[in-house]
Amino acid sequence: MQHNEYIKLPGRLKGGLPFVIMALLLLSSPAIAQDQHKNATADKGQQDMLLAPVTVTANKQKEEVQKIPVAVTVFNEMSIEDKKLDSLSDLSDYVPNLMLFSDGPPGVNTPSMRGIHADAESQSVSTGLFVDGIPVSSTLGYSNGLLDIERVEVLRGPQGTLYGKNTEVGAINIITRLPGNEYRGKITTDVGLNSKSAAFNLSGPIMQDQLFFGFAGELSQNDGFIEHTASGNPVDEEKYLYGKGQLRWLPNEDLELRLIASHTQYDNGAFRMGPNPDWWSEMLQSIPGDREVSSDHEGKGKSSESSQALKISYDINDYLSLTSTTTHRYFNDNRNVDIDMTSADLLWRDFDNDYRTITEELRLNYANEGWKWLTGLYVDRDTIDIRETASGGPRTQDVEKHSYAAFGQLTVPVTSKLSAIGGLRYEVQKTDFKDKVTSEDMDGSWDNFAPKLSLEYQFQPKLMGYASVAKGFRSGGINYNYVDADKAKYDSEELWSYEIGAKSKWLDDRLLLNGAAYYMDIQNMQVYEGYPPMRLDISNSAKGIGYGLELEAQALITKALSVDASFGYSNVEFDDFTEDGVSYDGKKSPFAPEYTFNIGAQYRMENGFFSRMDVVGYGKMYLDKANRYSRDAYQLVNGKIGYEGENLDAYLYCKNIFDTRYDTTGYYGGMYTLYSDPREVGLNLSLRF
């Protein structure tokens, strides 16, 4: 099959330096923005010529995003719709130094932020995900539909002080839209060459000013493109069912209660990968071709997830508020995997694992005349039931984890322009592990301090600079199926991050420019060690050094035309890492793209015409600690054009317009090729009422 390795764009775009130059040129001209302020009840063709202030809760209190010393990218409901962001993976294309990587399991993504990655086999993540306060602290379930969302906040840099374990280099907050006194509804359908979906949301009052409801749901199907050599049928079809409901009660003007529940069901086929001939050639006589498998063990993924959150907020007075967030989350990991993907009855694994998490956070907030503080307590309980059958034998294990934390943060206005922010968190995690096959019993305990200190200075009303130092950590754990007895346990990974940044608006609030630079000193670096073809272990084998740069811009050129761009550069290297007599010093950290970027232009006229074009790209990244395997840099072009009426919108869209191949060959110690998604063209219809 012929394909483009790179999209032909003006200039030499295969290396990293030209992208830096392009980003700097964009940032030096009035060129960017898509988050136009638009009244949801007004004609979508009308928009202000101002970049409106955006309120976020990144610091667990309401603040204007341009006035907090944290690198944050925010997506509101309209920007999610305009860019056609259907998933977290789509959204990550527009965040500097963020990548979500998937090797196929339903509901599983592995985040990489600022060059720090969490492997699919890991029990933790380096970038935490929080959906309405519900923590997703592992790669299982690290996926969420962007349906009926008020906003998504992507925080870059250590967030351990306020968010705790596994927010070592960042956090993603997804906030569901609040239902209110106005009835609102929307029905959306997508019909594409390879996929189709239907979604709806409805919200409004049950009792005016007191009790409100919200419902949302989505059903989608994605056709497969990997063929079974015997049947000729696709083996990688995907089906997705999602539903969410919430109740919001305001008994009085000081008290608010929200109950939010959701359920996700996956019905997938095999993973979108095939055997790498270079790895399997000595083991197998016959290897399937490109985008082909000949599996004798049917691949499937029928995982499911359900979650509930109860949020209670009480305003004690004008300055003091109390918040309680109680959550429950359940994920069932049910999948069958043919490891060799051939007709040979060689290697296979079947999972039916249960993961359950219960959390409680109690927080007291204060804000008055520039003084802000908060303090809180946090506890959680994780239970994991592992039930696995495989060609190498069964595995039955029970794991129970408990975490306890106390935290606080204080903002002090030193002068009218200078503020200091200090915070500290102390967290303890305990783990008990039992193997019912080997009768092995282990336990472990890890504790961490997560301090933070920031200074912010308001040079001008629309220009703020900041400097911060913060510690991030990723919890230690137990390797549930270790190979080396000396590596049955591993310690917490810790890093100190030093960051400077600036946030600004120019040209009468029509141009936004933000930037940050950082340096990371990493200790006890968790390294994933391969024992293909059945599993990976985690060990503390290295120190690391990381540094990088992030730039973001938005601008309104005319009333109809806007442009937006971002660029991130990241470099993380092993610094003191020798194993089995082999030095890995200077090797790049795996799954850390050298750079990320996006450039987009959007045109929205008052007569209803809409068009948008985006270019997104990722730099070269390595797949293993020895840097033997890698994925080359690539760029994708996406487009959307349509008409927006008073209640009905119609768009024609295309993702990956040039059908660019960006396969990942050499994954999992060289065993597999992960196939990239082909071009998708479709029609989107949305009815608002």
Side-chain angles (χ1 to χ4, degrees):
M1 179 181 295
Q2 298 293 323
H3 63 273
N4 295 322
E5 184 179 2
Y6 298 98
I7 294 171
K8 301 301 182 183
L9 296 172
R12 177 180 171 270
L13 298 183
K14 296 185 181 181
L17 181 60
F19 287 128
V20 177
I21 296 173
M22 181 176 290
L24 292 175
L25 288 173
L26 282 166
L27 292 173
S28 64
S29 63
I32 312 295
Q34 50 74 32
D35 275 335
Q36 302 95 341
H37 175 61
K38 291 184 283 184
N39 190 319
T41 60
D43 181 359
K44 292 181 68 177
Q46 303 293 329
Q47 67 184 43
D48 291 340
M49 281 298 294
L50 297 175
L51 292 167
V54 177
T55 299
V56 297
T57 54
N59 284 327
K60 299 198 173 183
Q61 48 197 339
K62 292 182 179 180
E63 298 171 299
E64 210 272 291
V65 68
Q66 289 295 103
K67 296 182 178 180
I68 61 174
V70 180
V72 185
T73 303
V74 184
F75 301 85
N76 61 19
E77 180 185 13
M78 192 58 66
S79 64
I80 291 172
E81 178 182 317
D82 287 347
K83 290 186 172 75
K84 191 166 176 40
L85 306 181
D86 298 322
S87 66
L88 280 179
S89 295
D90 291 339
L91 182 142
S92 68
D93 290 340
Y94 297 87
V95 180
N97 281 333
L98 173 63
M99 177 193 70
L100 291 190
F101 186 84
S102 175
D103 61 0
V108 177
N109 283 301
T110 64
S112 177
M113 175 82 81
R114 292 187 171 181
I116 305 296
H117 176 255
D119 192 87
E121 298 281 346
S122 176
Q123 307 152 36
S124 60
V125 291
S126 55
T127 302
L129 173 63
F130 300 83
V131 183
D132 294 313
I134 302 171
V136 180
S137 56
S138 75
T139 59
L140 295 171
Y142 203 101
S143 173
N144 196 81
L146 301 177
L147 183 64
D148 199 30
I149 299 299
E150 177 181 319
R151 68 183 183 279
V152 180
E153 305 169 359
V154 183
L155 290 63
R156 301 186 298 279
Q159 304 299 322
T161 303
L162 294 182
Y163 292 90
K165 61 181 179 181
N166 306 330
T167 58
E168 180 184 17
V169 287
I172 302 174
N173 276 330
I174 298 178
I175 298 101
T176 298
R177 189 178 62 189
L178 284 171
N181 277 325
E182 179 183 353
Y183 286 104
R184 297 183 60 180
K186 183 178 178 181
I187 298 174
T188 301
T189 182
D190 274 14
V191 180
L193 295 179
N194 307 304
S195 65
K196 50 184 174 290
S197 68
F200 81 96
N201 64 70
L202 178 66
S203 65
I206 299 174
M207 296 175 58
Q208 285 285 331
D209 301 322
Q210 284 193 322
L211 185 62
F212 315 93
F213 75 92
F215 294 106
E218 181 178 4
L219 176 64
S220 68
Q221 179 174 325
N222 197 319
D223 300 333
F225 58 86
I226 299 176
E227 183 179 299
H228 196 284
T229 56
S231 67
N233 296 323
V235 299
D236 58 320
E237 292 181 327
E238 298 176 342
K239 295 180 181 178
Y240 171 82
L241 176 64
Y242 174 73
K244 177 171 60 178
Q246 67 167 314
L247 288 173
R248 180 186 179 210
W249 183 32
L250 304 175
N252 56 57
E253 62 181 10
D254 299 321
L255 181 63
E256 179 184 66
L257 293 88
R258 292 181 68 194
L259 177 62
I260 306 171
S262 67
H263 181 77
T264 305
Q265 189 73 43
Y266 302 92
D267 186 2
N268 293 4
F271 298 172
R272 289 189 164 167
M273 64 170 66
N276 177 16
D278 292 340
W279 197 94
W280 290 94
S281 58
E282 295 183 2
M283 187 179 299
L284 300 173
Q285 294 182 346
S286 176
I287 300 173
D290 181 47
R291 297 196 175 188
E292 291 183 340
V293 297
S294 52
S295 303
D296 64 311
H297 191 73
E298 182 182 5
K300 71 172 186 179
K302 294 185 177 294
S303 299
S304 63
E305 179 180 8
S306 62
S307 62
Q308 301 83 36
L310 175 62
K311 307 183 73 172
I312 304 173
S313 302
Y314 179 66
D315 292 332
I316 300 172
N317 54 43
D318 291 340
Y319 316 114
L320 200 61
S321 62
L322 183 67
T323 303
S324 169
T325 304
T326 307
T327 76
H328 168 263
R329 178 175 175 269
Y330 169 78
F331 189 89
N332 173 245
D333 183 20
N334 188 332
R335 45 187 160 123
N336 296 350
V337 183
D338 187 4
I339 295 175
D340 58 89
M341 298 185 178
T342 70
S343 57
D345 185 12
L346 188 62
L347 298 168
W348 52 272
R349 294 174 75 181
D350 293 346
F351 301 80
D352 190 6
N353 304 333
D354 294 325
Y355 301 79
R356 191 181 303 274
T357 302
I358 299 174
T359 74
E360 167 62 31
E361 181 182 274
L362 186 64
R363 190 177 73 248
L364 187 64
N365 286 64
Y366 174 87
N368 184 26
E369 297 183 351
W371 287 83
K372 301 176 186 176
W373 58 259
L374 63 85
T375 184
L377 298 172
Y378 172 87
V379 296
D380 68 30
R381 177 175 180 264
D382 291 325
T383 56
I384 306 173
D385 297 325
I386 299 173
R387 306 290 181 266
E388 176 186 323
T389 57
S391 52
R395 186 157 68 113
T396 304
Q397 298 166 333
D398 293 336
V399 183
E400 187 167 311
K401 302 179 183 180
H402 297 270
S403 295
Y404 312 90
F407 61 93
Q409 182 165 293
L410 172 65
T411 300
V412 179
V414 181
T415 69
S416 60
K417 294 186 176 182
L418 176 65
S419 294
I421 300 96
L424 179 65
R425 186 186 191 98
Y426 177 68
E427 186 159 332
V428 177
Q429 177 173 303
K430 298 181 179 180
T431 301
D432 293 310
F433 167 80
K434 295 181 181 179
D435 191 309
K436 295 187 176 181
V437 176
T438 65
S439 300
E440 187 167 17
D441 195 336
M442 287 190 294
D443 61 74
S445 179
W446 300 267
D447 65 324
N448 289 277
F449 283 97
K452 178 180 182 179
L453 177 64
S454 300
L455 296 175
E456 62 175 67
Y457 191 83
Q458 201 73 39
F459 292 96
Q460 299 175 11
K462 299 298 176 64
L463 173 60
M464 185 269 283
Y466 68 89
S468 67
V469 55
K471 181 184 176 185
F473 67 94
R474 185 171 7 164
S475 280
I478 296 173
N479 287 310
Y480 301 154
N481 196 21
Y482 62 85
V483 174
D484 186 344
D486 293 333
K487 298 179 180 179
K489 301 178 185 179
Y490 56 93
D491 291 328
S492 298
E493 178 177 290
E494 300 177 348
L495 66 80
W496 283 94
S497 174
Y498 307 88
E499 181 174 336
I500 58 173
K503 298 183 176 185
S504 65
K505 286 185 179 181
W506 307 91
L507 303 179
D508 298 324
D509 286 356
R510 291 190 294 113
L511 174 65
L512 179 149
L513 297 174
N514 292 340
Y518 61 88
Y519 175 88
M520 300 184 300
D521 183 7
I522 311 163
Q523 303 292 325
N524 289 328
M525 199 169 182
Q526 293 178 6
V527 179
Y528 302 91
E529 305 202 56
Y531 299 94
M534 296 300 287
R535 51 178 315 283
L536 297 176
D537 268 355
I538 304 170
S539 66
N540 301 103
S541 302
K543 296 180 181 178
I545 292 176
Y547 54 87
L549 172 72
E550 295 165 352
L551 302 169
E552 292 183 286
Q554 302 176 4
L556 299 174
I557 309 260
T558 69
K559 190 173 183 179
L561 177 63
S562 61
V563 193
D564 58 89
S566 74
F567 175 83
Y569 169 77
S570 172
N571 184 78
V572 178
E573 297 179 354
F574 298 126
D575 183 43
D576 184 11
F577 182 14
T578 300
E579 191 171 59
D580 298 328
V582 179
S583 174
Y584 296 94
D585 291 2
K587 297 294 185 180
K588 305 290 187 180
S589 179
F591 296 95
E594 181 184 6
Y595 59 81
T596 67
F597 81 93
N598 76 273
I599 304 171
Q602 180 170 298
Y603 198 74
R604 172 176 273 120
M605 297 183 63
E606 293 185 12
N607 64 8
F609 175 78
F610 174 91
S611 64
R612 182 175 178 90
M613 185 73 71
D614 289 288
V615 182
V616 300
Y618 292 87
K620 182 178 181 178
M621 76 173 188
Y622 293 96
L623 308 178
D624 61 307
K625 63 186 179 184
N627 292 179
R628 178 181 177 184
Y629 302 102
S630 64
R631 184 182 70 184
D632 290 335
Y634 69 91
Q635 303 90 43
L636 304 177
V637 179
N638 304 321
K640 180 180 175 182
I641 187 171
Y643 177 80
E644 302 172 335
E646 183 175 353
N647 299 107
L648 179 65
D649 303 332
Y651 307 99
L652 182 68
Y653 65 87
C654 184
K655 293 187 175 183
N656 190 5
I657 290 176
F658 294 97
D659 201 20
T660 302
R661 289 283 294 269
Y662 51 103
D663 298 342
T664 303
T665 299
Y667 176 67
Y668 204 76
M671 292 178 63
Y672 301 117
T673 294
L674 301 180
Y675 296 122
S676 59
D677 289 336
R679 173 174 49 214
E680 174 66 345
V681 179
L683 176 67
N684 172 270
L685 298 174
S686 296
L687 175 65
R688 302 182 305 279
F689 54 89

